[in-house]
Amino acid sequence: MISSKAYGSKQKREARRWFKEWSNDYDRTLGKMARHHALLDLAVKLARPKDGEQILDVGCGTGLLTLKFLKAADCSVTAVDSSCEMLAIFQKKIETLRLKRRATCKEQDAASLSFQDNCFDIVASTVALHHVKDKLPMVKKIFRILRSGGRFALGDIDLDTTGRITDPKRLRRVMDYLKDELTMALEDGGPEALSRMFDNGKKHLFNDGEYAVDFSRWANLCKQAGFGPIALRPLREFKRFKVLVAYKA
Ligand SMILES: C[S@@+](CC[C@H](N)C(=O)[O-])C[C@H]1O[C@@H](n2cnc3c(N)ncnc32)[C@H](O)[C@@H]1O
């Protein structure tokens, strides 16, 4: 089920190396942050999963979002990620928690999702899709694989980190965000979480595999892809993070 494919560019290989290295301490670092769990909870709440629905979790990592969906409704989830190490950790959880009939893991790149049209009720993703540089084709594909009445729920950082790294305004914007993010990491996960989120922050500062855009841009991409009403909700705990829900009529 989980294979090791040699696909992608040098940047993608570097991103996979990064997540391979992070996988073993993911649940002790970002996974310890209350802010992160609040984002996942908000994404699940706004996606409104119902019993019997089929959900796709894109960039599932160690499965934190999928597990929340499975708890919220009697739904089933297909979870994809480009890191086989993250997926291996999630697969162990699926087995330990006896969720095999409701959750399936697959190694797939978010930029080249290979599902048929109209096969999911919800496509959800948290803090993963900002890693995809060319976003419009991916959002169009998400639109196609959703059934009519389906929802795209996206939880991510609401911050434009793209642009020139020589731009002082950009530097200030990212530093501003990091001030709160790193403080929360230390409070919730201790020095290990601080260190990991600091390294993560550096990748944002230097545009190193991170292509975060603000949520007005995400909303625009959804409109261009054909989505109907689009709702945005900031996280109470940290307004730099938002959840967007886009509906397919
Ligand atoms: C910060 S983790 C988020 C994991 C999970 N969604 C959560 O909220 O806890 C980002 C995940 O996105 C995955 N990822 C990054 N780029 C990806 C891509 N192009 N395609 C699929 N997964 C990707 C990484 O491997 C990693 O597991």
Side-chain angles (χ1 to χ4, degrees):
M1 179 176 27
I2 298 170
S3 65
S4 193
K5 293 179 208 149
Y7 59 82
S9 63
K10 191 174 165 214
Q11 262 165 339
K12 282 189 177 174
R13 283 198 300 278
E14 171 53 27
R16 285 211 305 283
R17 191 201 58 73
W18 170 259
F19 285 111
K20 172 182 180 177
E21 208 243 308
W22 190 6
S23 58
N24 281 322
D25 61 34
Y26 188 85
D27 287 350
R28 290 197 309 272
T29 55
L30 184 55
K32 280 275 179 226
M33 289 178 67
R35 189 274 296 151
H36 187 55
H37 285 276
L39 182 74
L40 308 185
D41 289 336
L42 186 62
V44 173
K45 183 176 163 198
L46 298 181
R48 296 174 183 264
K50 297 183 198 72
D51 292 353
E53 285 195 324
Q54 309 221 309
I55 297 172
L56 175 67
D57 177 0
V58 186
C60 61
T62 62
L64 301 179
L65 179 69
T66 290
L67 292 176
K68 286 181 190 278
F69 270 111
L70 294 176
K71 206 168 168 192
D74 188 13
C75 53
S76 51
V77 181
T78 302
V80 299
D81 201 286
S82 53
S83 159
C84 52
E85 292 80 12
M86 288 278 189
L87 288 169
I89 290 171
F90 186 24
Q91 186 62 41
K92 266 196 202 136
K93 292 184 191 175
I94 291 173
E95 281 155 26
T96 308
L97 298 168
R98 296 174 188 271
L99 288 168
K100 269 181 169 174
R101 281 190 306 122
R102 297 178 61 206
T104 314
C105 282
K106 287 195 168 110
E107 188 182 339
Q108 256 193 47
D109 195 302
S112 47
L113 293 170
S114 65
F115 296 99
Q116 295 195 335
D117 290 358
N118 308 308
C119 63
F120 292 105
D121 301 290
I122 296 174
V123 175
S125 183
T126 45
V127 286
L129 299 189
H130 67 252
H131 292 288
V132 176
K133 196 171 183 181
D134 192 6
K135 296 178 172 56
L136 185 57
M138 172 183 70
V139 179
K140 283 183 172 171
K141 177 71 182 176
I142 289 172
F143 181 81
R144 286 201 303 275
I145 63 181
L146 276 169
R147 295 189 176 113
S148 156
R151 291 83 77 200
F152 170 39
L154 171 75
D156 215 317
I157 176 178
D158 179 17
L159 181 70
D160 186 355
T161 65
T162 61
R164 287 175 301 115
I165 62 167
T166 50
D167 176 2
K169 281 193 193 142
R170 176 188 169 279
L171 176 66
R172 195 174 287 278
R173 219 167 38 235
V174 183
M175 295 286 275
D176 244 24
Y177 148 71
L178 285 177
K179 196 170 55 148
D180 290 333
E181 176 73 349
L182 297 185
T183 310
M184 288 181 185
L186 179 66
E187 284 168 351
D188 295 344
E192 188 182 18
L194 169 64
S195 166
R196 175 58 68 182
M197 299 318 288
F198 176 77
D199 287 346
N200 241 354
K202 261 171 45 190
K203 290 179 85 65
H204 279 292
L205 281 174
F206 293 102
N207 258 350
D208 182 11
E210 309 277 354
Y211 313 99
V213 296
D214 58 38
F215 266 54
S216 59
R217 175 91 187 109
W218 276 115
N220 249 316
L221 290 165
C222 289
K223 266 185 221 153
Q224 285 180 66
F227 282 101
I230 296 161
L232 289 180
R233 182 86 74 80
L235 200 63
R236 204 168 16 131
E237 290 78 357
F238 188 3
K239 293 195 170 29
R240 274 276 177 220
F241 283 83
K242 286 197 176 66
V243 172
L244 168 154
V245 181
Y247 298 84
K248 178 169 175 175

